[in-house]
């Protein structure tokens, strides 16, 4: 059975909408709320976790990197 919005493998959009772009919050707000983190923030956080877990010296001053690094170091110092 063919549906009205599909015809020969093509999908026709029935209503017009614009993509929603989220405004990026400042770094000090993002560091407090993980729901606001961007993809690059998670990248630096996980890189900091890996370096902190392996005992590698800090490689950058990114606040998300430092947060992940400190979290892993706390496991070994407590």
């Amino acid at each position: 059975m063919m549906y009205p919005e599909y015809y020969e493998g093509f999908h026709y959009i029935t209503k017009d909408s614009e993509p929603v772009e989220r405004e990026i919050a400042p770094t000090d707000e993002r560091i407090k709320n993980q729901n606001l983190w961007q993809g690059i923030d998670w990248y630096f956080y996980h890189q900091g976790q890996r370096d902190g877990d392996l005992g590698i010296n800090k490689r950058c001053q990114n606040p998300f990197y430092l947060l992940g690094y400190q979290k892993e170091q706390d496991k070994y110092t407590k």
Side-chain angles (χ1 to χ4, degrees):
M1 177 177 185
M2 294 290 289
Y3 294 99
E5 65 268 15
Y6 291 99
Y7 181 72
E8 294 180 3
F10 291 99
H11 177 66
Y12 295 98
I13 298 173
T14 55
K15 65 179 180 179
D16 188 23
S17 63
E18 294 183 16
V20 177
E21 289 191 22
R22 189 169 74 170
E23 217 176 283
I24 298 175
T27 304
D28 55 339
E29 286 181 29
R30 288 195 331 252
I31 203 106
K32 296 174 189 170
N33 184 355
Q34 285 188 347
N35 292 326
L36 299 176
W37 286 16
Q38 304 295 309
I40 194 71
D41 301 338
W42 285 106
Y43 169 78
F44 278 111
Y45 178 74
H46 290 302
Q47 188 178 21
Q49 281 186 316
R50 282 193 303 273
D51 291 352
D53 194 32
L54 296 173
I56 298 172
N57 291 334
K58 296 177 186 174
R59 293 194 267 178
C60 71
Q61 295 300 315
N62 184 293
F64 297 95
Y65 175 88
L66 297 174
L67 181 67
Y69 190 93
Q70 189 60 43
K71 183 176 179 182
E72 290 300 312
Q73 286 291 304
D74 288 345
K75 291 193 320 190
Y76 298 109
T77 57
K78 289 183 179 180

